Amino acid sequence: MFSKFAEKIGLYDFLAPSEPRRSKKNSASEHDSTTTVQNGSADEKRLKRKRLDVQLKAEKDAETRGPKFFAENQRVRYLNKTTNSTCDAVIVGVHYDDGPDNPYYTIKYKKQCEEILDDGSKNTSVIVREVEKQTNPDRLSRVPWDEDKSWKVLQ
């Protein structure tokens, strides 16, 4: 019974096609390898363009909801109140535990740290660590859209 159903919906054509596959020699003579590479490159460009367009739309949609709404993977500026400094950050999580009008965010940013050795002295080299923390939208601000920087975030 299952085989009749699978045949009716075309599952066998997908799992076990009736035409034998062509050997690599035949397919290589039919298709130029440069065409395949160009198609792969074109597919990658299309995928990149689509992902960037989706991200830009998500950021614009969040902005239309209000100043305290941001999209996941959006680049922002984070205000660290303890050091009174700002740094570039990326939103990695959007949370609505306090209701749909009160979001909070998980962000990632790079922080420069001084290493303190076992003897209490400081190492002269500066270490950059990636920090992930939760914050409220009051500490975040929008940055202008930059396609190259946004693509680095999406990769």
Side-chain angles (χ1 to χ4, degrees):
M1 180 162 175
F2 177 73
S3 57
K4 286 183 181 179
F5 176 71
E7 187 176 329
K8 186 176 182 180
I9 64 170
L11 187 61
Y12 282 140
D13 294 334
F14 178 72
L15 294 176
S18 58
E19 295 180 20
R21 293 187 179 213
R22 297 179 182 169
S23 69
K24 289 185 178 181
K25 290 180 184 177
N26 290 342
S27 64
S29 63
E30 290 178 20
H31 299 291
D32 186 19
S33 62
T34 58
T35 305
T36 305
V37 170
Q38 289 173 351
N39 287 345
S41 178
D43 289 343
E44 288 174 13
K45 287 180 182 178
R46 254 192 313 273
L47 177 64
K48 177 181 177 180
R49 177 83 266 141
K50 184 177 179 179
R51 290 184 67 194
L52 285 169
D53 290 344
V54 167
Q55 181 63 32
L56 180 60
K57 183 180 182 318
E59 290 182 23
K60 286 184 177 184
D61 289 347
E63 188 174 11
T64 59
R65 290 186 67 195
K68 63 181 180 179
F69 292 95
F70 298 92
E72 194 167 324
N73 295 321
Q74 183 171 352
R75 297 172 36 256
V76 293
R77 297 287 294 164
Y78 167 67
L79 171 65
N80 187 333
K81 287 190 178 178
T82 45
T83 61
N84 200 25
S85 63
T86 60
C87 62
D88 291 330
V90 175
I91 295 178
V92 295
V94 181
H95 313 282
Y96 296 101
D97 297 353
D98 299 333
D101 294 334
N102 296 317
Y104 66 94
Y105 301 95
T106 302
I107 61 169
K108 272 189 182 179
Y109 64 96
K110 293 188 186 321
K111 178 181 178 182
Q112 291 185 353
C113 304
E114 292 181 344
E115 185 178 32
I116 299 176
L117 302 175
D118 291 336
D119 62 2
S121 63
K122 292 183 180 180
N123 189 355
T124 56
S125 64
V126 176
I127 298 171
V128 177
R129 292 202 172 113
E130 190 168 74
V131 177
E132 185 172 310
K133 67 176 292 181
Q134 292 181 341
T135 187
N136 61 31
D138 299 334
R139 294 185 179 196
L140 302 175
S141 60
R142 298 183 194 289
V143 295
W145 172 259
D146 185 315
E147 196 168 281
D148 294 331
K149 290 180 181 177
S150 294
W151 180 243
K152 285 180 184 177
V153 170
L154 293 173
Q155 288 181 321

